[in-house]
């Protein structure tokens, strides 16, 4: 769920950085319709940050991680033996917001079931590859502990996409609440640890990583980008299902610790906010280019001759455009590039029943198989994954 040339040279990408614009998005467009309007660049997590820093400093993290490995389901009681301050925080953090609508969350299941194959490839190759050209995200990932083992880091990131799309995501027997709360703890740990990294501090624009604005930038690389692409592909989506999909991610943002006033109340408001905070910040970094290469090689062990690096690169170019593909040093593909440009639209129309199936060429079957394998690759986290509080940064 990460999203990159050579012209940067030894100067690095940050030498061409453009300062972020002042926050102008109105909190009237948020899920609660009001707020103080504070710039989220200077807002982090007032509850989780000092708590997790204390856990690290007093040596409680190994014990906490061991206990939290047993906490897997939303409705499951918190493990006995957790430090009292952490227990109290997690009991508060696991509660759904007062504006959560269970009927919408249930309807989001219909959206995810119908669009599951699209979501697999979109989360991986649109959202995931986009993360490598979100400079702050790429640097935070690369220099944190997760950057030293990207397969493990990616599997834990993909778990959030898997859990939010599950049929019981926010139900007591689901896992999305657990995943979000654990991820919130990880973010707090990274905020404490990364400023101690001599490597991150040399290239970072900020003193503390993962601000509320950064979280929303990543958030927009996921649901907002997915909905933009589905709209571009002319996938017919009932308004109620579209709204329900958004709502599942609104609740997800809340559980990650985002203030209500920063969570958009509609797709129109989401696009408005993304236009300010996501679209202008995309650019390459040396670290992001390395992360992109790792992502493009994910399928080599399971592709069966289909999910090759070239095909993944071609889909990335198709979804994110020539400029971003150039930043990421993705070569052009003589077969797949033109095939995607000419056949993807009709393929989607066939899958959606807008064109008669007998007219579908063999390429459509290939696309469909790619979608299935990509969904398996990027959303196959039904296997046990343990999201744990880190204690170190990337060593080099």
């Amino acid at each position: 769920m990460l999203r990159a040339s050579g012209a940067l040279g030894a100067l690095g990408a940050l030498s061409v950085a453009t300062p972020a614009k002042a926050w102008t998005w109105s909190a009237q467009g948020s899920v609660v319709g009001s707020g103080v309007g504070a710039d989220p660049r200077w807002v982090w997590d007032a509850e989780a940050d000092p708590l997790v820093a204390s856990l690290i400093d007093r040596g409680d993290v190994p014990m906490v991680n061991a206990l939290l490995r047993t906490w897997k389901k939303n409705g499951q009681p918190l493990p006995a033996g957790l430090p009292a301050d952490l227990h109290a925080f997690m009991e508060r953090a696991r509660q759904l917001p007062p504006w959560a609508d269970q009927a919408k969350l249930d309807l989001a299941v219909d959206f995810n079931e119908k669009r599951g194959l699209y979501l697999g490839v979109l989360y991986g190759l649109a959202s995931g590859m986009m993360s490598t050209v979100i400079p702050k995200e790429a640097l935070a990932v690369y220099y944190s502990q997760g950057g030293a083992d990207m397969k493990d880091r990616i599997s834990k990131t993909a778990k959030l996409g898997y859990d939010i799309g599950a049929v019981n995501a926010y139900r007591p027997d689901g896992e999305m609440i657990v995943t979000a709360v654990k991820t919130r703890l990880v973010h707090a740990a990274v905020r404490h640890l990364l400023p101690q990294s001599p490597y991150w501090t040399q290239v970072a624009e900020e003193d503390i990583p993962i601000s509320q604005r950064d979280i929303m930038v990543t958030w927009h690389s996921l649901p907002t980008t997915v909905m933009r692409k589905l709209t571009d592909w002319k996938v017919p989506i009932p308004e109620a299902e579209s709204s329900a999909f958004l709502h599942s991610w609104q609740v997800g943002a809340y559980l990650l610790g985002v203030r209500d006033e920063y969570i958009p109340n509609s797709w129109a408001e989401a696009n408005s906010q993304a236009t300010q905070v996501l679209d202008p910040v995309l650019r390459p970094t040396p670290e992001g280019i390395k992360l992109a290469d790792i992502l493009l090689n994910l399928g080599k062990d399971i592709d069966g001759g289909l999910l090759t690096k070239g095909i993944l690169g071609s889909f990335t170019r198709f979804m994110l455009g020539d400029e971003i593909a150039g930043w990421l040093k993705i070569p052009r593909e003589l077969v797949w590039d033109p095939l995607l440009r000419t056949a993807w639209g009709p393929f989607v129309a066939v899958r959606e029943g807008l064109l008669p199936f007998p007219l579908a060429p063999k390429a459509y079957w290939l696309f469909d198989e790619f979608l299935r394998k990509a969904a398996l690759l990027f959303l196959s986290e039904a296997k046990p994954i343990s999201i744990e509080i880190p204690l170190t940064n990337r060593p080099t």
Side-chain angles (χ1 to χ4, degrees):
M1 290 213 291
L2 301 165
R3 282 32 65 268
S5 359
L8 292 173
L11 293 177
L14 295 180
S15 63
V16 296
T18 301
K21 295 180 180 179
W23 180 251
T24 60
W25 188 77
S26 173
Q28 292 181 347
S30 71
V31 289
V32 291
S34 63
V36 297
D39 190 325
R41 281 181 296 173
W42 315 116
V43 180
W44 292 274
D45 193 328
E47 280 195 277
D49 291 354
L51 169 62
V52 175
S54 175
L55 292 176
I56 294 173
D57 292 343
R58 68 197 194 213
D60 284 346
V61 169
M63 176 265 291
V64 166
N65 280 335
L67 290 172
L68 290 183
R69 286 181 203 128
T70 68
W71 187 52
K72 300 178 180 180
K73 301 296 182 182
N74 299 333
Q76 186 180 346
L78 292 175
L82 287 175
D85 51 356
L86 177 62
H87 188 283
F89 165 77
M90 292 181 67
E91 282 293 3
R92 294 191 301 272
R94 69 190 294 189
Q95 304 303 314
L96 295 181
W99 42 264
D101 185 330
Q102 190 60 57
K104 283 188 174 183
L105 295 177
D106 290 342
L107 185 58
V109 172
D110 292 338
F111 176 90
N112 288 312
E113 287 181 342
K114 292 177 182 178
R115 315 299 173 199
L117 292 179
Y118 296 138
L119 293 177
V121 73
L122 283 169
Y123 283 148
L125 293 175
S127 304
M129 293 302 292
M130 184 179 288
S131 73
T132 66
V133 290
I134 299 174
K136 289 186 179 182
E137 181 173 352
L139 294 176
V141 168
Y142 188 84
Y143 290 108
S144 64
Q145 186 185 78
D149 185 352
M150 281 304 297
K151 281 193 174 181
D152 180 71
R153 170 66 171 77
I154 291 165
S155 71
K156 291 175 180 177
T157 302
K159 179 170 171 56
L160 188 144
Y162 178 85
D163 290 342
I164 200 169
V167 295
N168 54 359
Y170 292 102
R171 292 289 186 179
D173 59 336
E175 299 184 13
M176 180 56 191
I177 295 174
V178 172
T179 294
V181 172
K182 288 184 178 181
T183 300
R184 184 176 176 184
L185 294 175
V186 170
H187 285 170
V190 171
R191 292 189 195 100
H192 180 65
L193 293 169
L194 261 188
Q196 302 173 40
S197 165
Y199 307 103
W200 180 80
T201 54
Q202 289 177 13
V203 295
E205 297 176 338
E206 68 278 2
D207 295 327
I208 304 173
I210 317 179
S211 69
Q212 298 256 308
R213 181 173 179 139
D214 295 334
I215 295 176
M216 288 310 298
V217 169
T218 299
W219 188 91
H220 287 299
S221 75
L222 289 154
T224 307
T225 297
V226 164
M227 190 53 66
R228 284 175 168 181
K229 298 310 296 183
L230 292 177
T231 301
D232 289 345
W233 296 347
K234 297 180 172 57
V235 176
I237 302 172
E239 176 61 33
E241 290 182 14
S242 174
S243 177
F245 175 63
L246 173 62
H247 191 63
S248 68
W249 278 97
Q250 290 169 330
V251 173
Y254 175 90
L255 290 170
L256 288 170
V258 177
R259 288 186 183 180
D260 291 344
E261 67 177 282
Y262 302 135
I263 304 174
N265 66 11
S266 66
W267 286 119
E269 290 293 347
N271 279 307
S272 172
Q273 189 183 103
T275 299
Q276 178 180 357
V277 302
L278 172 66
D279 301 343
V281 304
L282 301 180
R283 65 177 185 275
T285 62
E287 294 83 357
I289 294 172
K290 293 175 184 176
L291 294 177
D293 189 65
I294 293 172
L295 285 171
L296 291 176
N297 280 291
L298 276 180
K300 65 181 180 181
D301 295 331
I302 65 168
D303 64 10
L306 181 64
L307 278 177
T308 64
K309 182 177 181 179
I311 295 173
L312 291 172
S314 192
F315 265 84
T316 299
R317 179 180 297 277
F318 176 69
M319 291 186 182
L320 300 182
D322 288 337
E323 182 178 41
I324 290 180
W327 292 346
L328 295 173
K329 301 183 180 180
I330 296 174
R332 293 185 180 274
E333 296 292 327
L334 296 179
V335 174
W336 277 90
D337 287 356
L339 185 62
L340 284 166
R341 286 195 303 269
T342 59
W344 185 262
F347 161 72
V348 171
V350 166
R351 289 200 84 251
E352 297 301 320
L354 303 178
L355 287 178
F357 188 75
L359 296 179
K362 291 183 179 180
Y364 295 2
W365 291 98
L366 189 61
F367 287 162
D368 202 65
E369 184 63 11
F370 174 83
L371 284 172
R372 293 181 189 279
K373 287 186 178 291
L376 173 66
L377 176 64
F378 293 111
L379 296 180
S380 62
E381 304 315 316
K383 62 185 180 181
I385 297 291
S386 180
I387 298 174
E388 302 191 354
I389 300 171
L391 279 171
T392 61
N393 296 308
R394 184 188 180 103
T396 58

